[in-house]
Amino acid sequence: MDAIATPVFFTPTQLAECLQISIRTLEDWRLRGYGPPFLPVGKHVRYPQDGFEAWVAAGMKGPS
């Protein structure tokens, strides 16, 4: 039987630290429909690692 991978989630604090932005900026992005995908969990917000990585990859710019 194959093992099921457990998804990894970031808190807003962890993600803000990773991106070196404020938690308030993440809140603004959520309200504007911008930023990495998030998951509301009751009154909390979590950011799935795979969604965050895909969002970063989609925004990457190469040499022009």
Side-chain angles (χ1 to χ4, degrees), residues 23-34:
I23 294 172
R24 179 70 187 155
T25 297
L26 281 177
E27 292 170 355
D28 287 343
W29 287 356
R30 284 196 310 271
L31 292 173
R32 296 170 191 252
Y34 177 74

Side-chain angles (χ1 to χ4, degrees), residues 2-64:
D2 294 331
I4 297 174
T6 303
V8 175
F9 294 92
F10 295 113
T11 66
T13 301
Q14 291 170 321
L15 199 65
E17 287 177 8
C18 179
L19 293 172
Q20 297 180 353
I21 60 173
S22 70
I23 294 172
R24 179 70 187 155
T25 297
L26 281 177
E27 292 170 355
D28 287 343
W29 287 356
R30 284 196 310 271
L31 292 173
R32 296 170 191 252
Y34 177 74
F38 64 93
L39 176 69
V41 182
K43 64 179 183 171
H44 303 283
V45 172
R46 295 296 180 261
Y47 294 89
Q49 180 179 359
D50 58 350
F52 170 66
E53 290 172 351
W55 176 77
V56 169
M60 296 290 273
K61 306 285 186 210
S64 37

